[in-house]
Amino acid sequence: LPEADLWQRVGKGTPFELGTDREAYPQDRILATAQRAAVDPDELAELLAAVDPAVRYGSLVRLRTGGENSRGLPALEAAMNDSSANVRLAAADLLCRLGREQSALAVLERGLFSAEPYVRLDAANRLDRLGERTDPVRDSLRKALEDTNGDVQKVVRHALRD
């Protein structure tokens, strides 16, 4: 479960309370996706239609672990408009790695300026790992150096490698 999703689900409660609430945290469905060795690109659209964002996110993680395949491109492109920031960022990251940086970098760039600190950190980490592919968004990375979160600043400094 990505941190941004975890803390959104927790709300005013605690992680322990979340873990015992089967409705707020459908652990069986999430684990079933997470424990798959890989997601076939032909299954991706169905998994990305799941109600729970953790299932949608997990399918993207498994797709990546199982190898990147262009058959899943339409589903990945649609996932960049998902209601979950973590799903949007994971889809954009995969698309960048598949050489489809143009629209995907814009999604990662927007993530740098989210109101949620864990989303900003996730976006910064993903941009950092993409290396030179992030050159078109370097101005935004420089602006993100002013982030109030020290972890985001640290990752952005590394991503800039100036």
Side-chain angles (χ1 to χ4, degrees):
L1 201 60
E3 285 179 289
D5 190 11
L6 168 72
W7 293 112
Q8 182 177 12
R9 287 171 191 256
V10 166
K12 294 182 191 232
T14 66
F16 176 79
E17 291 168 334
L18 174 66
T20 59
D21 183 342
R22 294 290 182 215
E23 193 171 311
Y25 183 62
Q27 186 176 15
D28 295 338
R29 177 83 166 117
I30 293 168
L31 282 174
T33 304
Q35 291 174 337
R36 294 175 70 146
V39 169
D40 185 281
D42 296 327
E43 298 173 282
L44 186 60
E46 178 184 335
L47 288 167
L48 287 175
V51 171
D52 195 286
V55 172
R56 298 191 307 268
Y57 178 82
S59 68
L60 291 170
V61 170
R62 291 293 144 223
L63 177 70
R64 183 165 176 206
T65 323
E68 297 161 357
N69 188 311
S70 62
R71 288 190 333 257
L73 283 176
L76 282 175
E77 289 166 352
M80 289 196 304
N81 295 310
D82 195 274
S83 61
S84 165
N86 294 111
V87 172
R88 290 192 304 268
L89 296 175
D93 186 11
L94 280 168
L95 284 164
C96 284
R97 293 173 190 284
L98 290 168
R100 309 250 179 185
E101 292 95 349
Q102 188 172 3
S103 59
L105 280 175
V107 171
L108 294 169
E109 183 178 30
R110 281 191 300 277
L112 282 175
F113 303 104
S114 168
E116 298 296 324
Y118 289 113
V119 172
R120 297 193 309 268
L121 184 58
D122 188 14
N125 276 314
R126 291 175 186 283
L127 287 165
D128 181 28
R129 288 190 300 265
L130 287 170
E132 292 178 6
R133 292 180 223 179
T134 63
D135 285 348
V137 297
R138 286 181 75 71
D139 288 343
S140 291
L141 282 165
R142 285 188 189 93
K143 185 176 179 185
L145 285 170
E146 300 168 12
D147 196 286
T148 57
N149 183 300
D151 291 332
V152 173
Q153 291 174 7
K154 181 179 172 183
V155 173
V156 169
R157 270 194 300 277
H158 188 265
L160 286 168
R161 295 174 180 89
D162 285 341

